[in-house]
Amino acid sequence: EVPKVEVAIAADGALTWNGKRVTPDQLATNLKQARAQDPMPGILVKPNAKATYVAVSAVVDQAREMGLPTDIWMTAPIRK
């Protein structure tokens, strides 16, 4: 089974890598390290429903440019 890494994008554009908050530079470093792993993990991008298209596409494009497989899971805010 291919390992997965979860990159979440908050409504304000904040990023997390497997639940740990990261900066855009740290994300780039983590993606490079992931690319070097064997087997190479898939990147599961989980944007908040209110995250901007620009924020989501920046993460997806960066991962794909490095040759990492990506899946995008849209998430909706919890409603009470």
Side-chain angles (χ1 to χ4, degrees):
E1 180 177 314
V2 176
K4 295 276 186 194
V5 171
E6 181 181 299
V7 178
I9 306 166
D12 65 358
L15 303 169
T16 61
W17 177 274
N18 285 337
K20 181 181 175 188
R21 193 167 180 143
V22 294
T23 66
D25 288 341
Q26 290 169 322
L27 175 66
T29 298
N30 289 355
L31 289 170
K32 288 177 189 171
Q33 291 172 348
R35 177 70 177 95
Q37 292 177 9
D38 185 23
M40 184 175 26
I43 306 298
L44 176 60
V45 180
K46 292 181 71 174
N48 178 282
K50 294 184 179 182
T52 66
Y53 174 81
V54 171
V56 176
S57 65
V59 171
V60 172
D61 290 347
Q62 190 174 19
R64 288 182 177 163
E65 285 172 9
M66 291 185 187
L68 290 160
T70 57
D71 291 319
I72 303 171
W73 286 36
M74 294 303 293
T75 56
I78 298 172
R79 299 188 190 270
K80 293 185 178 183

